Amino acid sequence: MFLGLDSSTQSLSALVIDPATACIVCERTVNFGKDLPHYGSPSGFLPGGTDGVVHADPRMWLEALDLLLARLAEATDLSQIAMISGSGQQHGTVYLDETFPQRLGDPRGDSLVERFAPAFTRATSPIWMDTSTGAECREIAEAAGGNAEVCRRSGSIAVERFSGPQIRRFFKTEPEAYEKTGCIHLVSSFLASVLAGREAAIDYGDGAGMNLMNLESLAWDPVLLDATAPGLVEKLPTLGATTDVIGPISGYFTRKYGFSETCRCANFTGDNPASLVGMGSTRPGNIVISLGTSDTFFAAMPGPLTDPHGYGHVFGNPAGGFMSLICFRNGSLAREALRDAEGLDWSAFDADALGETRDAAGANIMLPFYGPEITPRHDFTGPVSKGSDDFESDAALRVRALLEGQFLNMRLHSRWMGLRHERIRLTGGASQNDGIARMAADVFQAPVERLAVSNSAALGAALIAAAAAGHDLPAMQKQFCLTTDQRKIAPDASLEFVYNEALGKFEDLLRETMG
Ligand code: ADP
Ligand code: XUL
């Protein structure tokens, strides 16, 4: 059996598969806010950061791993697991001192927090929601020869949430702590290291989200390293393929949770690359939209292409080659903000409720940004709308306009990928909502499919683990990445013109608002 872990923004989950019987054996999850309230992070990060700072406590991720494995060990026999892989929210960085390798190699102790907490040189980790590094992005771009050059080298212009700018900010604001830092990991490679009891590589999928990896050579880029912070290359792990095996699991986990000594760990990757695998979309053809804390839009790339407007990214595809991705910060948290402001529940977003406002399709335009957005990059402080007279007093109309706005914004900013919207595969917490799924089909005028498994990142990680052990990935994807007819939604073709027009109006409002 194979275990996939997914350390996302709001939770850590586990999924165990058995390729011999094509079965999902067990799934468990730990919700950071609900299960670990003592970290004061109801949505998985520390609230109240100023000037765009969004950090999370890395001890919370460690405690979640202990708790999750304890729950999993109660539910299933972990001695049967042959290989583990995992995924992490992308871009977030973990800073460790020179005692980290020795702590990794010492399997004693009762808890991971106790063992690793003294090694953190930055008490809290910047995560992907952080927008505090505008100045650092400009400095990196200038030093590296401009944003077009940063993009040519790394697949993205210098981006606020990416690891390189975050590392530069640390070097500038806490130079002594930076100096003391022996190793900087991503969330994914940090957890992989802890499990394997030795330093894991950063894989090409997650490594490409740092503004530090050269896409052509798949090595750390000397120009970008120099532009970011001094002595950085000595602090970074090596880079490697997602399916490379790190080694056997640490004795801590065999002793505490009953894993076999023959169980091995493969590299971890980012949650989006893992989801590409779990959605059965590692070959070009499908577009994947993930409606999680962030909304992301991604696809395997048929050929090399970067976004001329600087919003899109190129990451490594865990199955080889590359994937393109765009990330929207105002995803589930914006949907929740409207829901809570109006005193609604998710039923106001379902197919029946949205059916009642169908006549108003495309009539009210909303820029659905409850906080700073990254696509397009702007410090929004609340949604901006242009609507009919009854729009302000009618919550149902605003729910429709918010969802339409989110998908119109995706349509607008995914044009550079040049993809035909033939089929969309939808995943993430909000994809279970039939109304939201129908809205995606209508705005994109493409059929939407949802898979039987909802946690595509954890499934992807389990499939990566099995592939690392020699199983055939395409054959496993046929077994595990299943859609059922009931879960397919055809677009309402009579709305094609409506949403083509609405797209133009959305673009106009965006232009007026952003100047
Ligand atoms: P992440 O992986 O980023 O932690 P998930 O993919 O697990 O996030 O999605 C979690 C989000 O899904 C929640 O924040 C919630 O807003 C949203 N969600 C869950 N159920 C529904 C629903 N029925 N309708 C709309 N959104 C939902
Ligand atoms: C992708 C991104 C987010 C995080 C969290 O670039 O920033 O999707 O991976 O899920």
Side-chain angles (χ1 to χ4, degrees):
M1 300 198 297
F2 299 92
L3 167 60
L5 299 171
D6 173 40
S7 180
S8 71
T9 315
Q10 304 195 50
S11 56
L12 174 69
S13 25
L15 187 147
V16 177
I17 59 167
D18 181 356
T21 55
C23 268
I24 290 173
V25 177
C26 183
E27 281 186 81
R28 285 293 179 276
T29 191
V30 167
N31 182 283
F32 300 137
K34 289 198 192 87
D35 292 316
L36 303 171
H38 44 287
Y39 288 101
S41 304
S43 299
F45 53 86
L46 295 157
T50 49
D51 300 325
V53 167
V54 183
H55 284 203
D57 189 330
R59 293 174 306 172
M60 179 179 76
W61 300 326
L62 289 173
E63 192 168 334
L65 184 57
D66 262 331
L67 181 57
L68 180 72
L69 293 179
R71 287 182 181 172
L72 207 56
E74 266 177 28
T76 192
D77 176 6
L78 293 177
S79 73
Q80 299 304 304
I81 306 286
M83 183 84 74
I84 305 173
S85 180
S87 66
Q89 54 172 311
Q90 298 197 248
H91 321 296
T93 33
V94 182
Y95 300 75
L96 300 139
D97 66 16
E98 75 288 349
T99 67
F100 183 54
Q102 162 208 326
R103 289 175 192 277
L104 283 174
D106 181 356
R108 292 170 303 177
D110 286 334
S111 83
L112 294 172
V113 170
E114 185 185 291
R115 178 146 54 110
F116 292 108
F120 294 119
T121 56
R122 195 177 193 177
T124 57
S125 288
I127 66 158
W128 66 273
M129 296 175 82
D130 190 294
T131 53
S132 68
T133 62
E136 287 73 18
C137 288
R138 285 189 290 280
E139 289 158 5
I140 290 170
E142 195 176 316
N147 254 327
E149 183 60 12
V150 178
C151 189
R152 191 186 68 75
R153 288 173 182 273
S154 74
S156 307
I157 65 165
V159 180
E160 276 93 341
R161 69 186 190 285
F162 275 34
S163 322
Q166 296 290 345
I167 292 169
R168 177 164 179 79
R169 188 177 156 93
F170 182 52
F171 153 70
K172 279 170 59 187
T173 55
E174 296 179 59
E176 281 169 23
Y178 177 78
E179 195 58 41
K180 273 198 218 128
T181 302
C183 188
I184 302 174
H185 273 286
L186 293 181
V187 177
S188 58
S189 62
F190 171 61
L191 292 175
S193 304
V194 167
L195 270 170
R198 56 190 279 196
E199 300 253 12
I202 289 180
D203 88 304
Y204 306 135
D206 223 8
M210 300 177 78
N211 279 145
L212 291 172
M213 187 187 94
N214 186 295
L215 276 189
E216 228 167 282
S217 63
L218 299 177
W220 297 123
D221 185 295
V223 171
L224 296 174
L225 289 172
D226 276 355
T228 301
L232 183 52
V233 75
E234 289 98 64
K235 301 184 198 290
L236 292 174
T238 54
L239 285 158
T242 316
T243 47
D244 282 355
V245 176
I246 312 162
I249 191 168
S250 151
Y252 174 85
F253 300 99
T254 55
R255 172 169 60 78
K256 268 193 93 173
Y257 304 112
F259 284 96
S260 154
E261 281 171 11
T262 59
C263 172
R264 293 180 299 158
C265 302
N267 282 337
F268 280 27
T269 187
D271 54 359
N272 293 295
S275 202
L276 188 77
V277 177
M279 293 302 282
S281 302
T282 36
R283 291 182 182 161
N286 295 334
I287 288 166
V288 182
I289 296 179
S290 169
L291 304 171
T293 310
S294 61
D295 286 349
T296 51
F297 180 107
F298 53 90
M301 294 182 89
L305 196 67
T306 49
D307 180 3
H309 308 292
Y311 293 123
H313 314 296
V314 179
F315 295 154
N317 175 341
F322 295 96
M323 63 185 281
S324 50
L325 177 138
I326 325 169
C327 178
F328 304 87
R329 192 176 186 276
N330 282 274
S332 280
L333 299 183
R335 291 182 284 274
E336 286 174 17
L338 176 69
R339 180 198 64 184
D340 297 344
E342 304 288 351
L344 304 169
D345 59 33
W346 288 132
S347 65
F349 292 65
D350 71 17
D352 288 344
L354 290 169
E356 283 171 22
T357 55
R358 188 194 174 281
D359 287 349
N364 301 296
I365 302 296
M366 185 196 283
L367 308 184
F369 309 122
Y370 280 74
E373 180 49 57
I374 48 188
T375 314
R377 220 162 274 123
H378 194 71
D379 270 338
F380 293 98
T381 49
V384 179
S385 351
K386 223 177 206 176
S388 54
D389 292 343
D390 52 352
F391 182 64
E392 287 308 324
S393 58
D394 190 333
L397 289 180
R398 279 205 294 289
V399 169
R400 168 171 282 279
L402 172 113
L403 294 175
E404 288 176 345
Q406 289 184 319
F407 291 118
L408 287 170
N409 192 42
M410 270 184 202
R411 231 181 104 169
L412 184 65
H413 288 98
S414 58
R415 277 181 184 155
W416 67 277
M417 292 184 186
L419 300 168
R420 291 184 43 207
H421 302 139
E422 274 170 21
R423 193 185 320 125
I424 293 173
R425 286 196 163 176
L426 212 57
T427 181
S431 68
Q432 297 309 313
N433 187 313
D434 288 345
I436 297 177
R438 164 151 296 288
M439 190 63 88
D442 288 346
V443 173
F444 278 96
Q445 286 294 300
V448 160
E449 298 179 350
R450 287 169 294 169
L451 303 191
V453 177
S454 59
N455 192 337
S456 53
L459 173 61
L463 293 173
I464 289 167
H471 284 263
D472 182 57
L473 182 61
M476 286 189 297
Q477 283 172 318
K478 277 202 191 110
Q479 290 178 311
F480 284 99
C481 309
L482 302 174
T483 58
T484 57
D485 282 345
Q486 302 99 292
R487 313 219 72 211
K488 289 187 186 167
I489 297 177
D492 177 345
S494 68
L495 291 175
E496 181 175 4
F497 178 74
V498 168
Y499 285 123
N500 285 347
E501 271 216 322
L503 187 63
K505 289 191 211 157
F506 184 90
E507 210 174 350
D508 290 344
L509 184 56
L510 208 52
R511 214 174 289 124
E512 272 169 41
T513 309
M514 290 174 60

